[in-house]
């Protein structure tokens, strides 16, 4: 399958501070690629290099086999971009923006009306009157209305309510079914889990791993808080697959960290005692990084990960 | 050039264009209206008696008793330069740096528009903006003048239009070049305004010390002498060259810089 995005040793420094360094990745046609990393990791810098807004300090970026140029315009005809922080002309209406972008792209996008309807967006209101979520809807309409071959989405569901998030994921999946390639940048693990087939993980400007979603799901961390009907000894958790740390919060309440995707053994063990309260929460991305992708990038899990390019 | 971007650029400047346009029309009409009462007579004698340094402050080294001197001292000298310089620097600072700071440049550059086309369109927008400012300044003088015994004539009118436009393009060009270099509209307009203020101060201080006139013949401010055009129907060739070269160089340079810079 032909590569839609190719970054070869992409490096971008802002003066002395690092944006991204020596980043190499390839996204084949039709794939939904997640680009995961905490805020400030270099995700937006990478995207801006892809779009020709920043000139790489070193390395090369190619889209659809063509090298990205600062002054290039033809490549961007095939790209739909949704920025992380939506910036639009405050005094103008959503309709004005839609007409403006349509004018720049040589005609009204085929999906415009459908997107307005599905996202329940009111195009008659001025941008300065819009909430963060509605601004995000406008950015999504502007980015997707021309049914681009490549969608570059930087935190696309930020500010949207859960219903609209679902709609956006449905739209993304429909576009992928139609042959589009998606580059989805996010710092929210669950967002990437929902739609991506493969993920690149970036930290401090460096790609620390590139792996399949399945492999990443195996690295899931959960925080379990359980309150039993009576006091329980820590040894109750001995030998359960995936449990890496157990702390006693009170005689009957225990906190445990569970690593990996399989909770079956844990649930079966818990079922053996009467339980008053139970909560299981996904750990934050930062905690996953701390556990699996340490600062030096040398975590054993990374090295052994399927398809890993741990650096 | 992109008509879509040009239309959008001018549409976004509609408020400032309207305010500056209406103000200039009102100012021009007021100056024409006041001329029979102020120009010549006792007020003229009073102004003529002021020290030359004071007159220089208002951009006048033409006799106030003349029509050209009146317009230069009261309007088309310092005051007009202040108004149009503010207008073009506001436009120029937003053209690149302001939009980068606001993030709207990212929206534009994610569309299939080349940077050179975008920059050339912003330059074309400046030309339209400047022509509108020139028209709202000089057309009312030409239009209302005859009612108050002011006859400029076609030659002086077109000279004022042309040289005034070129002056604003030179100032705007400096502003656009600064805008293409910075990420903040405030920094860009401060740099451009700083250069122009330095030229004005240098020209003022040069009345006392020639050493201070370090801009010399390339001083955009002291070269603007609309009173002489009104009185003599001519402008020195070196002024045309100066404004033309500064405008051309700075506008070409801003396109060149914008094509090669990081936008983020």
């Amino acid at each position: 399958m032909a590569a839609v995005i190719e970054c070869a040793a992409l490096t971008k420094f802002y003066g002395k501070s690092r944006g991204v360094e020596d980043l190499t990745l390839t996204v084949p046609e039709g794939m939904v690629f997640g680009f995961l990393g905490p805020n400030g990791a270099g995700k937006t810098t990478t995207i801006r290099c892809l779009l020709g807004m920043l000139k790489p300090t070193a390395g090369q970026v190619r889209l659809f086999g063509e090298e990205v140029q600062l002054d290039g315009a033809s490549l961007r005809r095939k790209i739909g971009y949704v920025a992380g922080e939506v910036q639009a002309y405050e005094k103008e209406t959503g309709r004005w923006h839609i007409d403006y972008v349509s004018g720049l792209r040589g005609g009204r996008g085929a999906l415009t009306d459908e997107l307005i309807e599905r996202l329940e967006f009111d195009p008659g209101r001025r941008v300065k009157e819009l909430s963060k979520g509605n601004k995000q809807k406008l950015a999504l309409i502007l980015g997707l209305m021309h049914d681009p071959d490549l969608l570059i989405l930087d935190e696309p569901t930020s500010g949207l309510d859960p219903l609209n998030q679902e709609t956006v994921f449905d739209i993304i999946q429909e576009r992928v079914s139609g042959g589009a390639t998606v580059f989805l940048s996010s710092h929210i693990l669950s967002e990437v889990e929902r739609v991506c087939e493969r993920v690149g993980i970036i930290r401090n400007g460096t790609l620390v791993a590139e792996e399949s979603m399945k492999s990443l799901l195996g690295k899931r961390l959960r925080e379990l808080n359980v309150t039993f009907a009576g006091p329980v000894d820590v040894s109750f958790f001995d030998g359960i697959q995936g449990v890496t740390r157990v702390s006693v919060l009170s005689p009957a309440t225990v906190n445990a960290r569970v690593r990996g995707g399989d909770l079956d053994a844990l649930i079966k063990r818990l079922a053996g005692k009467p339980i008053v309260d139970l909560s299981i929460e996904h750990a934050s991305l930062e905690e996953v990084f701390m556990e699996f992708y340490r600062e030096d990038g040398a975590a054993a899990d990374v090295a052994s990960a399927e398809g890993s390019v741990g650096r | 050039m992109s008509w879509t971007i040009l239309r959008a650029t001018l549409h976004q400047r509609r408020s400032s264009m309207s305010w500056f346009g209406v103000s200039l029309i009102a100012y021009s009409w007021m100056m024409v209206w006041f001329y029979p009462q102020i120009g010549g007579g006792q007020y003229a004698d009073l102004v003529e008696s002021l020290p030359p340094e004071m007159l220089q402050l208002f951009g006048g080294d033409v006799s106030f008793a003349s029509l050209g001197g009146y317009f230069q001292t009261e309007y088309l000298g310092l005051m007009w330069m202040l108004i149009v310089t503010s207008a073009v620097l506001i436009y120029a600072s937003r053209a690149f740096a302001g939009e980068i700071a606001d993030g709207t440049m990212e929206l534009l550059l994610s569309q299939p528009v080349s940077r050179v086309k975008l920059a050339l369109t912003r330059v074309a927008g400046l030309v339209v903006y400047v022509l509108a400012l020139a028209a709202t300044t000089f057309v009312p003088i030409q239009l209302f003048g005859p009612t108050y015994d002011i006859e400029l004539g076609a030659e002086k009118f077109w000279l004022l239009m042309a040289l005034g436009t070129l002056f604003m393009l030179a100032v705007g060009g400096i502003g656009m070049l600064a805008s293409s270099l910075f990420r903040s509209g405030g920094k860009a307009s401060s740099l451009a305004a700083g250069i122009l203020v330095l030229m004005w101060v240098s020209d003022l201080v040069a009345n006392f010390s020639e050493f201070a006139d370090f801009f010399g013949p390339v001083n955009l401010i002291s070269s603007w002498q609309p009173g002489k055009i009104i009185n003599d129907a001519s402008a020195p060739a070196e002024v045309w060259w100066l404004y033309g070269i500064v405008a051309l160089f700075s506008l070409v340079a801003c396109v060149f810089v914008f094509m090669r810079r990081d936008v983020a």
Side-chain angles (χ1 to χ4, degrees), chain A residues 33-301:
Chain A
F33 187 89
F35 196 47
L36 203 53
N39 290 324
K43 302 188 296 291
T44 303
T45 297
T46 306
I47 286 176
R48 284 173 174 162
C49 289
L50 290 178
L51 290 165
M53 289 175 194
L54 299 178
K55 188 178 182 182
T57 310
Q60 214 183 32
V61 183
R62 298 175 78 85
L63 296 180
F64 300 100
E66 275 181 56
E67 190 175 352
V68 174
Q69 304 283 343
L70 281 187
D71 196 35
S74 58
L75 270 177
R76 291 198 291 265
R77 195 168 290 284
K78 299 178 187 173
I79 302 172
Y81 170 55
V82 178
E85 282 191 27
V86 181
Q87 304 294 353
Y89 298 98
E90 291 284 309
K91 289 181 187 167
E92 311 300 345
T93 63
R95 185 171 289 112
W96 183 90
H97 282 85
I98 291 166
D99 292 343
Y100 187 29
V101 170
S102 299
L104 295 173
R105 286 187 174 263
R108 194 171 167 84
L111 302 174
T112 310
D113 295 328
E114 183 195 329
L115 288 166
I116 290 173
E117 194 179 328
R118 288 177 72 178
L119 290 168
E120 296 172 328
F121 178 69
D122 175 5
R125 292 171 66 194
R126 289 175 194 270
V127 169
K128 64 181 174 188
E129 296 163 1
L130 298 178
S131 64
K132 188 175 187 296
N134 275 313
K135 283 183 187 172
Q136 192 66 29
K137 289 180 188 177
L138 175 60
L140 283 159
I141 293 167
L142 296 177
L144 304 179
M145 66 187 192
H146 286 87
D147 197 9
D149 296 334
L150 170 62
L151 298 178
I152 296 181
L153 311 172
D154 194 358
E155 316 269 356
T157 59
S158 145
L160 293 181
D161 59 54
L163 273 178
N164 278 308
Q165 285 185 14
E166 274 307 303
T167 309
V168 170
F169 289 132
D170 288 345
I171 293 168
I172 291 172
Q173 274 168 340
E174 287 165 23
R175 304 274 64 84
V176 173
S177 306
T181 306
V182 179
F183 187 84
L184 172 70
S185 156
S186 181
H187 69 276
I188 304 164
L189 197 52
S190 57
E191 185 170 271
V192 173
E193 271 179 33
R194 171 80 168 76
V195 286
C196 296
E197 297 159 49
R198 196 162 181 82
V199 287
I201 294 168
I202 186 169
R203 186 171 195 195
N204 293 334
T206 308
L207 193 71
V208 292
E210 188 191 336
E211 52 192 298
S212 69
M213 200 64 235
K214 189 181 165 194
S215 165
L216 186 71
L217 289 178
K219 291 192 171 73
R220 252 193 309 223
L221 282 182
R222 293 183 180 86
E223 290 291 330
L224 169 96
N225 282 300
V226 57
T227 304
F228 296 95
V232 170
D233 193 78
V234 177
S235 59
F236 174 72
F237 290 87
D238 285 353
I240 304 177
Q241 186 193 346
V243 174
T244 60
R245 188 197 65 204
V246 180
S247 7
V248 179
L249 304 179
S250 74
T253 305
V254 174
N255 167 270
R257 170 163 285 183
V258 190
R259 204 169 156 169
D262 191 1
L263 289 176
D264 191 54
L266 175 67
I267 298 296
K268 280 180 178 155
R269 179 76 61 90
L270 289 177
K273 281 191 180 290
I275 290 173
V276 176
D277 195 11
L278 174 71
S279 73
I280 302 175
E281 288 173 6
H282 285 269
S284 70
L285 184 59
E286 195 55 39
E287 286 170 300
V288 175
F289 277 126
M290 293 301 286
E291 186 92 4
F292 293 101
Y293 309 106
R294 288 197 296 266
E295 197 75 44
D296 58 7
D301 298 276

Side-chain angles (χ1 to χ4, degrees), chain A residues 12 48 71 76 89 105, chain B residues 99 109 111 113 115 262:
Chain A
K12 177 65 188 174
R48 284 173 174 162
D71 196 35
R76 291 198 291 265
Y89 298 98
R105 286 187 174 263
Chain B
E99 286 226 27
L109 288 183
Q111 308 306 327
V113 179
R115 289 193 186 199
D262 283 347

